[in-house]
Amino acid sequence: MQEIRFIPCKAFKEKPADETKLGFGKKFTDYRFVMDYYDGAWQDARIEPNEPFQLDAATSVLHYGQAIFEGLKCYRREDGGLQIFRAKDNFARMNRSADRLAIPLFDEELALKGLIELLKIEKDWVPHAEGTSLYIRPTIISMDPFLGVSAGKYYKFYIILSPSGAYYASGLAPVGIYVEDKYVRAVRGGLGFAKTAANYAASIKAGEIAKKRGYAQVLWLDGVEQKYVEEVGSMNMFFIIDGVIVTPALNGSILAGITRDSILKLAADMGYKVEERRLSIDEVFEAARNGKLDEAFGSGTAAVVSPVNELCREDEVVRIGDGNIGPITQKLYDTLTGIQFGKGEDKFGWVTRI
Ligand SMILES: *Cc1c(COP(=O)(O)O)cnc(C)c1O
């Protein structure tokens, strides 16, 4: 495996003093891990100061959007030790995204080694307060400095780190969700299963409309018939219908969330009945009207789970549960965060100690 070079910083940033005001994605650590692709290979793996890049105005990523990313976290255990959660799965998914966007595949083991070395250097940046973590953002962008649509010859892979606050400052507050029936996020055969910038570009307008109507997130329907539930903004969706935990099956236009997969495995292990299948929005509303929609929540790395207490579709609004987080949602949240922060048993071997 390639050696990882180290280029020291000349000056260091001040670490955030107040861990209750970290927010998300605002501050970044001193170093990043980087590799460059040229002459047909990923080369020059290194840890270097996290300074601004210089880019030519023609750089291909700025025009044609060949950009993919990942999101995971480094957690501080009660004993002070650090750990990451299912990082191998993030790099495997990143290569699936790379393949779809004609970005050259990278060595997942080297990326994992680079991440671990970076975390060892930046260990003091992992916050200590309850529920906080160090967010990890691996990214690849195309770097060819000319206009012309084709697979490039130059790419940059980098990992940056950002201390992030507790997602739920005051308990798991449920949110309302707006069912989008005009715009679509992705279609089968498109980019939906890839974690790519374009999917977010496609989603921002609908997000702003939902926000104006007082809803925190958009629920996307399938891009062909606009009948079947896909996912919300940056989360997969779960519904508990008549005691059964249901989530849309991965159909090519849904992002295969690692939190989604973890919840499916934990819920089955706890003895719940789980179903991955096609789920129409009519079935969800029908269940809600008949009092059979027990709970609903989104799942993703940032929030882990986000309980949903209200759905709005055109002029119809349905409420879910009594407005508080449901008991199964709470149990799944407690179990998963327990594993991530090193308090619960890691039955599935998901954790890597740093
Ligand atoms: C990242 C992401 C998710 C959640 O994936 P996790 O691996 O659970 O964090 C869900 N949907 C979209 C569109 C995403 O980009």
Side-chain angles (χ1 to χ4, degrees):
M1 203 188 291
Q2 265 184 63
E3 283 298 303
I4 298 173
R5 227 159 36 98
F6 178 69
I7 304 162
C9 285
K10 294 200 176 73
F12 293 92
K13 297 174 195 168
E14 221 165 284
K15 295 191 180 64
D18 185 353
E19 290 189 351
T20 65
K21 295 205 173 73
L22 288 172
F24 177 76
K26 289 190 230 155
K27 285 215 155 59
F28 295 88
T29 70
D30 295 302
Y31 288 101
R32 63 178 171 240
F33 172 75
V34 182
M35 310 189 259
D36 290 308
Y37 183 90
Y38 55 93
D39 294 343
W42 286 104
Q43 332 203 5
D44 196 14
R46 63 200 182 271
I47 289 172
E48 65 178 22
N50 184 27
E51 289 161 358
F53 293 134
Q54 270 203 336
L55 293 179
D56 194 285
T59 303
S60 49
V61 66
L62 303 176
H63 299 268
Y64 308 123
Q66 244 186 328
I68 57 173
F69 63 93
E70 275 299 324
L72 65 159
K73 287 172 170 177
C74 178
Y75 306 87
R76 191 177 287 283
R77 301 163 52 90
E78 262 170 356
D79 62 12
L82 302 180
Q83 59 188 30
I84 48 179
F85 182 75
R86 301 190 69 173
K88 277 187 185 161
D89 295 312
N90 286 95
F91 289 125
R93 182 171 69 188
M94 195 172 189
N95 259 338
R96 292 199 299 276
S97 300
D99 180 60
R100 177 62 185 85
L101 277 99
I103 290 170
L105 304 192
F106 62 90
D107 177 348
E108 292 165 28
E109 279 183 35
L110 177 61
L112 184 62
K113 185 172 165 219
L115 171 60
I116 291 172
E117 282 192 24
L118 179 65
L119 287 169
K120 283 185 173 157
I121 292 167
E122 298 289 54
K123 59 184 187 309
D124 294 339
W125 280 91
V126 185
H128 294 75
E130 170 98 34
T132 61
S133 57
L134 187 66
Y135 185 75
I136 301 165
R137 171 53 64 89
T139 306
I140 300 177
I141 53 175
S142 60
M143 294 291 284
D144 292 60
F146 43 79
L147 304 178
V149 182
S150 62
K153 291 191 168 67
Y154 301 93
Y155 293 89
K156 193 177 276 293
F157 175 113
Y158 58 88
I159 303 176
I160 50 176
L161 306 174
S162 174
S164 76
Y167 201 86
Y168 297 108
S170 52
L172 278 88
V175 297
I177 284 188
Y178 181 76
V179 180
E180 178 54 55
D181 57 7
K182 179 174 174 201
Y183 301 107
V184 300
R185 188 191 85 100
V187 290
R188 222 161 306 153
L191 302 178
F193 70 88
K195 211 165 171 77
T196 178
N199 288 333
Y200 283 80
S203 76
I204 289 171
K205 187 179 171 83
E208 291 303 305
I209 294 169
K211 225 183 269 170
K212 272 198 199 123
R213 298 194 178 198
Y215 290 93
Q217 295 273 355
V218 170
L219 176 65
W220 296 103
L221 302 179
D222 74 277
V224 179
E225 295 176 78
Q226 291 192 271
K227 240 172 101 175
Y228 299 100
V229 174
E230 298 244 303
E231 57 181 315
V232 287
S234 56
M235 289 189 281
N236 296 109
M237 242 352 258
F238 286 83
F239 298 90
I240 304 177
I241 301 172
D242 215 3
V244 180
I245 303 177
V246 186
T247 192
L250 300 176
N251 60 357
S253 56
I254 296 176
L255 199 284
I258 291 165
T259 318
R260 173 188 180 280
D261 185 70
S262 306
I263 284 172
L264 285 171
K265 293 197 164 87
L266 288 174
D269 187 59
M270 288 171 181
Y272 291 108
K273 187 160 183 231
V274 295
E275 287 179 359
E276 290 178 82
R277 63 172 170 89
R278 209 155 76 149
L279 175 66
S280 74
I281 190 66
D282 287 335
E283 180 184 342
V284 172
F285 271 69
E286 190 62 25
R289 286 184 213 113
N290 297 336
K292 296 208 158 155
L293 183 54
D294 308 332
E295 303 179 30
F297 61 90
S299 75
T301 295
V304 186
V305 301
S306 182
V308 174
N309 63 356
E310 186 177 315
L311 290 171
C312 171
R313 183 191 189 195
E314 292 170 35
D315 297 326
E316 184 176 6
V317 173
V318 293
R319 284 178 222 289
I320 304 161
D322 60 3
N324 296 310
I325 181 171
I328 299 174
T329 310
Q330 180 78 55
K331 193 168 161 188
L332 289 165
Y333 175 82
D334 292 342
T335 308
L336 188 48
T337 54
I339 297 169
Q340 290 169 334
F341 284 93
K343 293 173 199 160
E345 188 202 347
D346 177 25
K347 262 195 197 178
F348 295 93
W350 284 336
V351 160
T352 304
R353 298 284 290 264
I354 300 300

